[in-house]
Amino acid sequence: MPETDPEAAMPDTAAVNSPGPREVLARYQQAMLDSSADDLADLYAVDAVHEFPFLFPGMPERYQGREEVRAGYRAAWGASPARPREIRDVVVHDSTDPEVITVEQVVTGTVTTTGRAFSFPGLLVIRVHDGLITHVRDYMDGLGVAHAMGRLPAVVSALSQ
């Protein structure tokens, strides 16, 4: 009878006990609603990448690492008069890769300086490994955000130069 390594047959308890992409998404969305850069960043692996593939005036093309996510969102949310109130129309598409989900969602809320309501559609492609986000591609409607904030003329002017 061949000998087997008992540890080889045991599942990786860290992976088994780690939250999957859907659980991480729920925490991600709550951090957004709370405008908590710390709660959001704590969901990321130390070397994670968060990309913004679409033109989004005032945002970088990417954050490299957990601490850039923390600092970037702290600055963006601190400077923004937009206050998200709800994330709705959420559709989660599973992937053939169990670490990856694609999320359609609409973030709604109010611009505190004008009282104007906003509604921004977005798409996230999120990879979660061992309970932490390792990669996000964040497709947001940057021009819609600029319009809701009353900044569209300034953005158009800046893009025209």
Side-chain angles (χ1 to χ4, degrees):
M1 191 174 214
E3 286 188 38
T4 58
D5 178 1
E7 288 187 26
M10 300 291 291
D12 178 1
T13 55
V16 171
N17 294 326
S18 296
R22 286 175 181 259
E23 293 87 359
V24 171
L25 171 64
R27 294 175 188 169
Y28 182 100
Q29 291 172 325
Q30 189 60 56
M32 287 179 58
L33 292 172
D34 295 341
S35 298
S36 175
D38 288 328
D39 290 348
L40 184 71
D42 290 346
L43 297 172
Y44 285 73
V46 172
D47 58 349
V49 174
H50 187 120
E51 296 178 295
F52 301 97
F54 288 164
L55 175 64
F56 192 106
M59 293 294 283
E61 291 181 14
R62 70 176 30 219
Y63 292 131
Q64 185 71 45
R66 177 188 296 151
E67 295 313 313
E68 275 192 26
V69 169
R70 186 182 318 277
Y73 273 96
R74 182 175 286 139
W77 287 339
S80 175
R83 296 296 172 257
R85 300 285 181 239
E86 180 183 21
I87 300 173
R88 60 178 174 78
D89 300 333
V90 177
V91 179
V92 178
H93 302 276
D94 291 312
S95 162
T96 56
D97 182 336
E99 293 186 342
V100 177
I101 58 173
T102 301
V103 183
E104 298 176 66
Q105 62 185 21
V106 176
V107 178
T108 64
T110 306
V111 179
T112 59
T113 54
T114 64
R116 186 175 178 182
F118 66 79
S119 178
F120 304 133
L123 182 85
L124 300 168
V125 180
I126 302 174
R127 175 176 292 279
V128 174
H129 181 75
D130 288 341
L132 294 172
I133 295 171
T134 59
H135 191 253
V136 175
R137 289 184 61 85
D138 191 342
Y139 298 90
M140 292 191 296
D141 180 5
L143 294 178
V145 172
H147 176 66
M149 301 298 139
R151 297 180 186 152
L152 193 54
V155 168
V156 170
S157 176
L159 292 174
S160 299
Q161 296 176 3

